[in-house]
Amino acid sequence: MSAIRFLSGITPSGTPHLGNYAGMIRPAIRASKAPGVESYYFLADYHALIKAQDPERVHRSTLEIAASWLAAGLDPEHVTFYRQSALLEIPELTWLLTCVTGKGLLNRAHAYKAAVDKNTEAGRETDDGVSAGLFMYPVLMAADILIFNAQKVPVGRDQIQHIEMARDIASSFNHLYGEHFTLPEAVIEESVATLAGLDGRKMSKSYDNTIPLFTPREQLRKLVGGIVTDSRTPGEPKETEGSALFQMYQAFASPEETEAMRKAYAAGISWGDAKQALFECIDREVTPMRAAYDDLIAHPEKVEAALAIGEERARAQAAAFLVRLRDAVGLRRLSAPQSRKSAKETKAVLPSFKQYRDSDGKFYFKFVAADGALLLQSTGFTAPKEAGQAIAQLQKNGAAALADIARHLADVPGVEPAQVEAALNTLLDAR
Ligand code: TRP
């Protein structure tokens, strides 16, 4: 059984926070260790350019995110870990896909539609401030996935539409050029925690309510202390339901610890004590990784070296696939024969020659119709080259060559000369 291929991209546009860790980094690294799984994780730095046009920010964020994944235990020998921009095959494939993507499909993308709606509401022109990059986002993402023919794509709910579009785009390409792409499927991890941020809303950099994953220890303590709670006093029973603090505790504690905390809530634990327990719990998991992270940030060449492992592997694979795809669309050496796909189809519908050696040690050929019926049978040649020459004559001159090679042909009962001539002419016409 071959492995199932998982692939996902992380857009480097900020500093990773606890929500990214619990919601994506940790489950992805765990999943990569399962048997029968092949994982591709990459930094979607081309995607980052759509939103972030501050070069220093893109650069810094790429380093921070790569270092975070490595510090969190991603093994670059086992997982193919790379930067999207290290594979020039991705923008090349993007173009091949762009040409089979309906513009209407892209008009329906949620992110683009949201931008248009916002403009319309504000009375601006529909495409005001919308870059062609934002519009093309789904095609670039399809190329990310299809370049490795990934089967499973773990993503957040907001990305489901993009995976569906990748399937549509892959189908269009396959329909035109043959079955080159596997249709990918989104994987939505229901059990994974979406953490609430400091203010109780979903932890997200757009709400500015995050706790950075590798913030220094004392800063972590301070930030945890700032998580919103209600005004219940020590001793008053507290609700776990809807408690950002409890939910975060659950994401870092063992099931037993979580149960104990649930009881403590009911028994009226003070918010101060609950926060202290949460801080200790997060710190226990993060501290060993923080040391690795700080080291990687101080030595970016180590991150570069880790990425080089995956980039080399990914590049070789992508380049080989691109050769095939270029060929499929007709971008090939002028002296090259027709594409494999059409060559195969042609063979299937055309009559053909078959050469073989029989038990008498002599060399023979047969000419068979597209349906496999025998049309011509040669007599034995002493050398394979002679059989080849007779075939070449028939291929070149068609029925006109029959008289020249008549002495090498055995009688085939039940076959009309007209049938043979027609079949030979079909071959000539197909050339
Ligand atoms: N668009 C994804 C996000 O913002 C990131 C991404 C880029 C991605 N290319 C991908 C995810 C390919 C999965 C597969 O989350």
Side-chain angles (χ1 to χ4, degrees):
M1 206 190 73
S2 62
I4 301 186
R5 187 169 291 178
F6 283 73
L7 174 145
S8 198
I10 312 101
T11 309
S13 55
T15 300
H17 53 68
L18 288 179
N20 300 137
Y21 174 73
M24 166 125 194
I25 303 176
R26 191 174 60 185
I29 291 174
R30 276 188 193 152
S32 76
K33 294 181 174 151
V37 164
E38 210 178 21
S39 307
Y40 287 69
Y41 288 111
F42 69 95
L43 300 152
D45 49 0
Y46 280 138
H47 274 106
L49 300 184
I50 294 170
K51 270 201 220 147
Q53 288 170 340
D54 170 357
E56 295 322 312
R57 175 140 174 256
V58 172
H59 183 240
R60 177 73 191 176
S61 172
T62 304
L63 172 64
E64 287 180 353
I65 298 203
S68 300
W69 282 71
L70 293 167
L74 179 140
D75 174 1
E77 296 285 355
H78 181 64
V79 173
T80 303
F81 188 50
Y82 55 99
R83 276 163 291 198
Q84 186 186 30
S85 66
L87 305 182
L88 294 178
E89 288 77 10
I90 291 176
E92 184 170 3
L93 177 56
T94 301
W95 184 251
L96 302 190
L97 299 177
T98 300
C99 296
V100 302
T101 302
K103 179 172 175 288
L105 181 84
L106 300 181
N107 287 339
R108 292 190 286 278
H110 297 324
Y112 172 66
K113 261 185 23 194
V116 167
D117 289 350
K118 214 169 142 194
N119 280 335
T120 313
E121 256 169 55
R124 291 186 294 256
E125 253 196 87
T126 29
D127 284 336
D128 196 69
V130 177
S131 71
L134 175 67
F135 189 68
M136 289 289 296
Y137 186 113
V139 191
L140 178 57
M141 185 157 158
D144 293 334
I145 301 168
L146 300 177
I147 191 93
F148 295 117
N149 267 335
Q151 290 144 301
K152 305 276 179 189
V153 186
V155 283
R157 298 206 158 276
D158 60 324
Q159 298 292 317
I160 295 177
Q161 190 197 29
H162 292 146
I163 312 300
E164 282 166 4
M165 290 184 162
R167 290 171 67 88
D168 283 348
I169 296 169
S171 302
S172 305
F173 190 96
N174 285 351
H175 183 70
L176 278 163
Y177 298 116
E179 296 296 310
H180 296 281
F181 296 128
T182 305
L183 304 191
E185 279 170 34
V187 181
I188 308 296
E189 261 293 5
E190 301 289 355
S191 63
V192 156
T194 331
L195 296 193
L198 298 173
D199 59 359
R201 292 186 292 174
K202 180 188 168 197
M203 191 182 288
S204 161
K205 59 179 179 282
S206 31
Y207 295 146
D208 199 17
N209 63 358
T210 68
I211 300 180
L213 175 54
F214 294 122
T215 198
R217 197 157 181 271
E218 281 321 304
Q219 185 64 16
L220 176 66
R221 188 196 299 278
K222 242 171 84 188
L223 287 169
V224 168
I227 295 174
V228 287
T229 50
D230 59 28
S231 55
R232 284 173 222 217
T233 52
E236 246 186 290
K238 301 182 170 60
E239 298 279 346
T240 55
E241 184 79 21
S243 162
L245 208 151
F246 182 78
Q247 186 208 28
M248 206 180 288
Y249 186 80
Q250 190 166 24
F252 289 90
S254 70
E256 297 75 43
E257 289 167 331
T258 304
E259 259 330 287
M261 183 57 84
R262 196 185 297 282
K263 292 199 180 106
Y265 260 57
I269 186 174
S270 76
W271 287 128
D273 288 350
K275 285 175 174 175
Q276 178 61 24
L278 172 61
F279 164 71
E280 282 166 13
C281 208
I282 298 174
D283 187 56
R284 177 179 71 191
E285 185 158 338
V286 167
T287 291
M289 301 191 290
R290 190 192 291 115
Y293 178 81
D294 290 343
D295 179 58
L296 290 168
I297 293 293
H299 301 281
E301 69 281 3
K302 292 187 184 175
V303 178
E304 198 64 49
L307 287 167
I309 302 170
E311 286 170 3
E312 203 176 303
R313 193 156 56 200
R315 202 179 290 129
Q317 221 177 315
F321 193 31
L322 239 298
V323 168
R324 183 175 137 195
L325 296 173
R326 289 179 63 106
D327 179 85
V329 300
L331 305 178
R332 60 178 97 103
R333 289 171 65 87
L334 298 179
S335 57
Q338 53 184 321
S339 76
R340 276 163 235 160
K341 180 209 165 198
S342 23
K344 205 156 123 213
E345 279 177 351
T346 315
K347 244 193 216 149
V349 298
L350 287 181
S352 58
F353 291 95
K354 308 224 183 305
Q355 264 184 280
Y356 60 99
R357 189 176 193 180
D358 218 340
S359 50
D360 59 4
K362 292 196 173 157
F363 299 89
Y364 293 81
F365 74 81
K366 288 195 256 198
F367 181 50
V368 296
D371 64 2
L374 183 64
L375 295 172
L376 291 176
Q377 170 66 61
S378 78
T379 55
F381 295 88
T382 44
K385 198 172 154 204
E386 293 167 41
Q389 281 165 349
I391 293 173
Q393 261 181 291
L394 287 165
Q395 281 173 327
K396 186 160 167 245
N397 301 325
L402 281 171
D404 296 335
I405 62 150
R407 63 186 189 285
H408 297 300
L409 294 176
D411 188 45
V412 184
V415 175
E416 301 292 330
Q419 257 179 288
V420 179
E421 280 169 30
L424 286 167
N425 288 339
T426 328
L427 264 195
L428 274 191
D429 292 346
R431 293 209 303 164

